[in-house]
Amino acid sequence: MNLRETAEMLEEQYLSPYASLSRNTKGRDRQEPLCDIRPEYQRDRDRILHSKSFRRLKHKTQVFLDPEGDHYRTRLTHTLEVSQIARTIAKALRLNESLTEAIALGHDLGHTPFGHTGEMILNEICEDGFAHYLQSVRVVEILEKNGRGLNLTKEVRDGIRNHRTSGHPSTLEGCVVRLSDKIAYINHDIDDALRGRIIQEGELPSCYTDVLGHSVRERLNTMIHDIIENSLDKPEILMSPGMEETMQGLRTWMFDHVYKNPKAKAEDGKARKLIVALYEYYMDHLEELPQEYHYLMDELGEKKTRVVCDYIAGMSDSYAIDTFEELFVPKAWKV
């Protein structure tokens, strides 16, 4: 018996009857020899962690566009916080931590530069639309490894596809990530908004803070405990009705007072012009796209509109700005 088989046996002995066992995965689109050390979901976690798309998240907007302060969240730190919350819940519920972590680490790989503003703009200008959760699946199925994708298991891809609010993951691990994503961004976006002086702690409505807590730490602790207490030894992931209603209320309040706040969105108009300009430029200059994008068009038959969206969506904030300056901003004459 090798190390992978031993790990799979331990899963069967220890994990909840509602957990997703690595041995029972629905598999990959392309069959591969099994690893002698790692179960399948652990392999997926490792593939995502080592991908180029994952590394680029460190320079992508969470709330504030290309923030200069060292302590503001980026899309990468958001992803890591989601992973930590999800693993805490999964471990307490005796679910598969490797599957949970793989979904959490991969859930935002398709996010654009400039956060949801970039996503909204690409959705408007790309003829087939654009959604970051679908792009995340596209990244792991096609765009990574020069058109070959990461060949992840179906359970991981399902969790990535369904992490949005209206999603319905097929595994409890995916359901944990779906809730953990909201818990993470509500709380760390409050923290960033406080740091950026967009809001003050005292402005948070007491109808929410009296239930959830009066600090980021208290709110995280309250929400995580509520999920664990209401989901333990059950075939679904639940929050108590009052807690879920309060969390959704605070989320709505955040949209009205932070995400749509003129201070936080002051640069959105410039980001819009930048993305539109890049899209129009590369639609007229396809020859300047990197070679792997020509492979998508020439060998896989992908639409040029989709491939240009792929290229722009993969850019970090800083790379998009640098590319725009290189293409459209005049340079001083040097002898």
Side-chain angles (χ1 to χ4, degrees), residues 78-218:
H78 160 72
T79 295
L80 295 175
E81 291 183 29
V82 173
S83 177
Q84 180 271 322
I85 293 169
R87 285 190 60 195
T88 296
I89 296 170
K91 187 169 186 176
L93 298 179
R94 292 185 295 117
L95 299 177
N96 194 310
E97 285 186 68
S98 291
L99 173 57
T100 304
E101 188 175 16
I103 295 170
L105 294 179
H107 83 281
D108 270 355
L109 291 179
H111 244 298
T112 61
F114 315 127
H116 287 287
T117 297
E119 178 180 18
M120 179 180 64
I121 297 165
L122 284 184
N123 185 50
E124 291 175 3
I125 63 180
C126 186
E127 65 178 26
D128 294 321
F130 184 93
H132 81 274
Y133 62 92
L134 296 177
Q135 188 70 8
S136 296
V137 176
R138 183 169 168 81
V139 166
V140 300
E141 288 186 343
I142 299 174
L143 300 181
E144 277 289 335
K145 301 293 183 181
N146 299 326
R148 299 191 305 276
L150 300 179
N151 197 29
L152 303 181
T153 59
K154 294 180 180 179
E155 292 81 4
V156 171
R157 287 178 285 151
D158 170 83
I160 292 172
R161 179 180 290 105
N162 287 288
H163 79 270
R164 66 198 189 281
T165 299
S166 59
H168 299 282
S170 64
T171 65
L172 292 193
E173 289 81 0
C175 294
V176 167
V177 173
R178 177 179 168 273
L179 276 177
S180 297
D181 182 34
K182 292 166 185 57
I183 292 172
Y185 72 65
I186 288 171
N187 284 286
H188 63 48
D189 290 352
I190 289 175
D191 194 36
D192 280 357
L194 293 171
R195 179 172 291 106
R197 300 180 181 178
I198 302 297
I199 59 172
Q200 297 180 3
E201 178 70 36
E203 295 180 61
L204 295 172
S206 59
C207 61
Y208 305 134
T209 57
D210 288 348
V211 176
L212 301 175
H214 295 276
S215 68
V216 172
R217 180 178 179 275
E218 287 181 8

